[in-house]
Amino acid sequence: MGRSVINEAIVAFRAHTPSRRLAGGAPESHFRRVPSRSFPAISRDLVAIGRRFYARGWVQGTSGNFSEVVSRKPLRLAITASSVHKGQMRSTHILQMNEAANASGAGKQVPSAEARLHLEIVRRRGAGAVLHTHSIWGTILSGSVPHRDVVTIDGFEMLKGLSGVRTHEHAELIPIVENDQDMSRLADVVGETLDRNPSAHAFLLRRHGLYTWGDTLADAERHVEILEFLFETIGRSATFRPMGGEE
Amino acid sequence: MGRSVINEAIVAFRAHTPSRRLAGGAPESHFRRVPSRSFPAISRDLVAIGRRFYARGWVQGTSGNFSEVVSRKPLRLAITASSVHKGQMRSTHILQMNEAANASGAGKQVPSAEARLHLEIVRRRGAGAVLHTHSIWGTILSGSVPHRDVVTIDGFEMLKGLSGVRTHEHAELIPIVENDQDMSRLADVVGETLDRNPSAHAFLLRRHGLYTWGDTLADAERHVEILEFLFETIGRSATFRPMGGEE
Amino acid sequence: MGRSVINEAIVAFRAHTPSRRLAGGAPESHFRRVPSRSFPAISRDLVAIGRRFYARGWVQGTSGNFSEVVSRKPLRLAITASSVHKGQMRSTHILQMNEAANASGAGKQVPSAEARLHLEIVRRRGAGAVLHTHSIWGTILSGSVPHRDVVTIDGFEMLKGLSGVRTHEHAELIPIVENDQDMSRLADVVGETLDRNPSAHAFLLRRHGLYTWGDTLADAERHVEILEFLFETIGRSATFRPMGGEE
Amino acid sequence: MGRSVINEAIVAFRAHTPSRRLAGGAPESHFRRVPSRSFPAISRDLVAIGRRFYARGWVQGTSGNFSEVVSRKPLRLAITASSVHKGQMRSTHILQMNEAANASGAGKQVPSAEARLHLEIVRRRGAGAVLHTHSIWGTILSGSVPHRDVVTIDGFEMLKGLSGVRTHEHAELIPIVENDQDMSRLADVVGETLDRNPSAHAFLLRRHGLYTWGDTLADAERHVEILEFLFETIGRSATFRPMGGEE
């Protein structure tokens, strides 16, 4: 039966089968063969995504950050610079970063402050791209019920936009992680959360925003659009009282 | 008296006069004489509609699909390819499909997974174009009351945007069909629903989205805009409590 | 004290001082001296307004219609053609119409079906331009309380965008007129409503939309933006419950 | 604990430490060294901000006004002209104004009617740019509870977009000032409010709009986007009832 609830019978952390990833790394065999792309092409697409997300109101102020894997060995990511307005970027705002979150040749610019979270996701999930947005509905849902640690969404056709999901009769669990200014500590919690929820396509940082990823940048963007659509649908449904008195 | 309700006295399927269409085909006389258009012109317009609908938030992720009849004998449809972002299409993403939903010369691309629904609508209604969108309010209304199988809208001037409707004192019934991943089974149910509701301009798939059509692509687009406007109006009205204490 | 209410103590039609206009015409002295503009310039601006209003969602489907006075003696209006998508117009969709709502040289196109209402407003108010929109919030407010015949808005700084209003401590009364498909009858009722409400800058047609006007097209557009902003503010406020329990 | 409330325990004006600014002027040492920009560059950016804010619905009608400091000694501001549609400006609509709010060489145009408020903010805060918007949610929050004189927002990551804020565990107090058509009197009240709230990044005029500022125009724009995001989040949260019955 299709219904959407926010964390009804799933208050405690779900017990999942042990992670099939080695702590700290993802098996090479997990990486879908995705052709590597040139840095200029990646930069152009990250800049374009910024414009599209800005038009939606998902990266206001200097919020949000995006990355794409340039190479795996050594690990190099293209990532948005810190403190840049993501709706007004140019290619010069996309930096190349190593596995220690350091970017060389970036002048005064530094990688996104949340670069460590991108690295955690790339390593644990073998993601090819990571996108982080701050939307109104994502922010509301992530904080509306204190201590709830997951948003559960099921029954919607839109769920089929998430990689590997083939039916609307799918229950997507989106863990909520407590926000933290200590990025090292937060990266650890994010890593543990990813390991405990191997099927999750995304997680929310409480009163902060959405993190999602994909094998390709296009997959990651599709995930953002699908999840933001579902957050808004659930959010608006929560205050919807259909005529006729029934709920 | 103008009022909008969601399924007051119409819980059961309405008994309509028997369909005037032969099962599996529409009488030739039903087709309004619409000049045929070239495939490049059709492709350009389907791509443009994708951009407009994306700007409205009606085709997020890779949701939505659009078609237009290229020829009737033999039956050929121009239809959007599967798994393409409808807001970022190019002409190469529009395929030509036959009455068995097969597209030749499409390279690796395949027609929309819901192609059979488009064919069902074209045959049963003699439609010239079919449009399918996933909107927030359409999704909410289609699923807000379990087991309700119709949305009834009456009293709004905007209803005159639906073909054949000349007054706001018109009751538009929009059937809700249960979502189903078995496309063959779903196409049959859609066909029966269309036959039982010969006056309907559209139907909703529960927690999925809107299907509407028209003699021309412009008519179909107008129907989408009118219905999405009305869904949002009804949806927002359901939570509206005017000042003064009255409800 | 600034507050916004919908029809508190004003259920019955307000008794206003007798209209200072002669029935059927406006004194020449009422017309502010506005330089006449060329028809091509007027057409370009009406087309541009259509695009801006469409981006706002105020003219979906083929709803809405706009006009500007080309000359007063004889009376000639530039007006949008009927059944055209107002967000996709070209100059050829702007027709020139006389005082009997007839357009010559328009080919198959005819003036907006609501042309008579534009003429009524031009005559009674000496308006230089008339704009009609269909917005979600205008539609909701015009129909949320049956038999209420006015929306009263006061206390907002935005009211100063209405011609002649110099302070937020102003009460704007927006009459609600019952919708009617008999355009001749509706034009009479609109005329009487305008005469009874000489200070009104606009009126609503129930579950239909907003009519407003101005000395110039820019004034009329500003009025639309101000009123739509206020409709949305009031509409959303009606369901707003601030934290802390107080209302 | 992160939560957002509107004026829980802070009904009365907060007693702050005495202002560290001399009444009527800001110590030179307060001004961050910001390179001066040419007037044409400033004009271009103010025009561009108008377009972006208009797209968001934050400057409808002719509402809103923007300024940037051109020079400090003598004090000269670039400011938007009065009664201009901020979404349709050209460089000719940006005037240069002195410390008495007079603009020379502006033809028939005069500076924004609220120029004195911009001067007050520049003097008291040493701001490099001042932005004023009229948004739906800002208007609602500023007037939803009569006599409340502050909006308090805490617990959101987005707060880090405000200059000097390094953690989501920050409580931002946004004073609400009563609207007033007497600009001289209002400027005095605004000045006192700024002095009493030396940490505030912004204030609201009741049922009018938001004033915020920054060392640079980019900072001020970022503040507008952050605050409007938070107003909408709080506004929508106030009517949000999560499933499961808890409130």
Side-chain angles (χ1 to χ4, degrees), chain D residues 115-190:
Chain D
R116 294 199 53 173
L117 302 188
H118 288 248
L119 288 166
E120 202 65 33
I121 295 169
V122 166
R123 290 193 186 109
R124 303 258 180 186
R125 283 296 205 262
V130 180
L131 299 175
H132 169 52
T133 51
H134 287 224
S135 74
I136 298 281
W137 289 108
T139 300
I140 289 175
L141 286 187
S142 73
S144 58
V145 183
H147 308 306
R148 290 255 167 124
D149 59 22
V150 63
V151 172
T152 303
I153 306 178
D154 69 301
F156 293 98
E157 178 75 9
M158 279 301 245
L159 288 163
K160 285 168 61 184
L162 301 176
S163 295
V165 177
R166 307 264 174 255
T167 167
H168 58 287
E169 294 177 329
H170 162 83
E172 179 71 15
L173 276 62
I174 302 155
I176 301 175
V177 176
E178 291 300 327
N179 197 17
D180 194 338
Q181 296 306 318
D182 181 325
M183 202 48 56
S184 182
R185 192 165 58 193
L186 183 59
D188 286 347
V189 175
V190 163

Side-chain angles (χ1 to χ4, degrees), chain A residues 1-4 52-53 56 58 154-158 160-161 166-169 221-237 239-247, chain B residues 4-6 8 53-63 85 88 114 134-137 139-141 144-148 179-181 183 206-209 234-239 241:
Chain A
M1 176 149 314
R3 61 182 169 80
S4 299
R52 288 196 288 271
F53 285 2
R56 293 281 185 215
W58 296 337
D154 69 301
F156 293 98
E157 178 74 10
M158 279 300 245
K160 285 168 61 185
R166 307 264 174 257
T167 168
H168 58 287
E169 295 177 329
E221 182 175 10
R222 190 183 69 243
H223 288 175
V224 170
E225 292 196 354
I226 293 295
L227 292 163
E228 294 293 356
F229 178 96
L230 291 169
F231 291 158
E232 184 172 349
T233 298
I234 290 177
R236 291 187 185 281
S237 293
T239 52
F240 181 73
R241 302 281 179 267
M243 305 296 291
E246 290 181 44
E247 300 196 45
Chain B
S4 299
V5 288
I6 300 177
E8 291 267 303
F53 285 1
Y54 175 66
R56 293 280 184 217
W58 297 339
V59 290
Q60 296 196 183
T62 53
S63 68
H85 193 294
Q88 300 173 31
E114 293 170 27
H134 287 225
S135 74
I136 300 278
W137 289 107
T139 300
I140 290 175
L141 286 186
S144 58
V145 184
H147 309 306
R148 289 255 167 124
N179 197 17
D180 194 340
Q181 295 306 317
M183 203 50 54
R206 198 182 301 284
R207 285 211 178 87
H208 181 154
I234 290 177
R236 291 189 185 280
S237 294
T239 53
R241 302 281 180 267

Side-chain angles (χ1 to χ4, degrees), chain C residues 61-123:
Chain C
T62 52
S63 67
N65 37 74
F66 324 134
S67 72
E68 183 173 334
V69 171
V70 180
S71 68
R72 300 225 177 246
K73 288 181 181 298
L75 184 61
R76 295 287 181 269
L77 264 61
I79 189 162
T80 49
S82 179
S83 305
V84 174
H85 192 294
K86 304 311 180 299
Q88 300 172 30
M89 291 191 291
R90 293 186 307 276
S91 290
T92 50
H93 294 122
I94 309 299
L95 312 181
Q96 183 158 253
M97 175 180 90
N98 66 14
E99 72 284 351
N102 293 324
S104 60
K108 288 187 187 171
Q109 298 193 97
V110 296
S112 167
E114 292 171 28
R116 293 199 52 175
L117 302 188
H118 287 249
L119 288 166
E120 201 67 34
I121 295 168
V122 166
R123 289 194 186 106

Side-chain angles (χ1 to χ4, degrees), chain D residues 222-238:
Chain D
R222 189 182 69 243
H223 288 175
V224 170
E225 291 196 355
I226 294 294
L227 291 163
E228 294 294 356
F229 179 97
L230 291 169
F231 291 159
E232 184 172 350
T233 298
I234 290 177
R236 290 188 185 283
S237 294

Side-chain angles (χ1 to χ4, degrees), chain B residues 25-174:
Chain B
E28 194 65 45
S29 57
H30 174 76
F31 297 140
R32 217 184 69 174
R33 294 194 173 286
V34 177
S36 55
R37 308 207 295 150
S38 73
F39 194 84
I42 293 174
S43 295
R44 265 200 314 273
D45 285 351
L46 292 177
V47 166
I49 278 181
R51 281 176 173 49
R52 287 196 288 272
F53 285 1
Y54 175 66
R56 293 280 184 217
W58 297 339
V59 290
Q60 296 196 183
T62 53
S63 68
N65 37 74
F66 323 135
S67 72
E68 183 172 335
V69 172
V70 180
S71 68
R72 300 229 178 242
K73 288 183 182 299
L75 183 61
R76 296 287 181 267
L77 264 61
I79 190 162
T80 49
S82 180
S83 305
V84 174
H85 193 294
K86 305 310 180 300
Q88 300 173 31
M89 291 191 292
R90 293 188 306 277
S91 291
T92 51
H93 295 121
I94 310 298
L95 312 181
Q96 184 159 252
M97 175 180 90
N98 65 13
E99 72 286 351
N102 293 324
S104 62
K108 289 187 187 172
Q109 297 191 100
V110 296
S112 167
E114 293 170 27
R116 293 200 53 176
L117 303 187
H118 287 248
L119 288 166
E120 201 67 33
I121 295 168
V122 166
R123 290 193 186 109
R124 304 258 180 182
R125 283 296 205 262
V130 180
L131 298 175
H132 170 51
T133 52
H134 287 225
S135 74
I136 300 278
W137 289 107
T139 300
I140 290 175
L141 286 186
S142 72
S144 58
V145 184
H147 309 306
R148 289 255 167 124
D149 58 23
V150 65
V151 171
T152 305
I153 305 178
D154 69 301
F156 293 98
E157 178 74 10
M158 279 301 247
L159 288 165
K160 286 168 62 184
L162 302 176
S163 296
V165 177
R166 307 264 172 257
T167 168
H168 58 287
E169 295 177 327
H170 162 83
E172 180 71 16
L173 276 62
I174 302 155

